[in-house]
Amino acid sequence: MNQKQLVVRHRLKELMVAHDIPSVQELSRRTGIYYATLLNFYHNKFNTFNNRTIATLCEFFDCRIDELIYLDEKELCGA
């Protein structure tokens, strides 16, 4: 039987499109968040969240946290 694990996902790409932000570099310029931080977030290469980063993105996109990040189930194979 396969087990499921909760994983954090984001809607950053969708929010960027909706707000006509063409690149992570442009988002970095407009928010003041380090490019490398945003790039890692964009590519799902993160283990922890900086609350200031999340708050800044929510403020910039005028969205709630659950519109930016959410929990999703991932099946664990062979568990």
Side-chain angles (χ1 to χ4, degrees):
M1 178 166 82
N2 289 340
Q3 291 183 340
K4 296 185 181 197
Q5 173 184 2
L6 289 177
V7 293
V8 177
R9 305 271 188 218
H10 67 77
R11 295 182 181 97
L12 184 59
K13 294 172 190 177
E14 293 90 338
L15 288 166
M16 288 173 63
V17 168
H19 288 82
D20 296 320
I21 307 295
S23 67
V24 173
Q25 185 173 4
E26 178 64 16
L27 183 59
S28 173
R29 187 184 70 73
R30 291 194 191 182
T31 61
I33 300 170
Y34 287 120
Y35 173 75
T37 300
L38 285 174
L39 194 63
N40 285 334
F41 187 74
Y42 186 87
H43 290 290
N44 292 306
K45 295 180 180 177
F46 55 87
N47 293 318
T48 61
F49 293 102
N50 177 301
N51 63 342
R52 188 70 237 147
T53 298
I54 299 300
T56 299
L57 288 172
C58 287
E59 183 177 24
F60 178 80
F61 289 119
D62 190 26
C63 68
R64 297 183 321 265
I65 290 174
D66 64 335
E67 294 173 306
L68 175 63
I69 57 175
Y70 63 98
L71 290 174
D72 195 15
E73 286 187 349
K74 175 182 175 183
E75 249 186 55
L76 298 174
C77 297

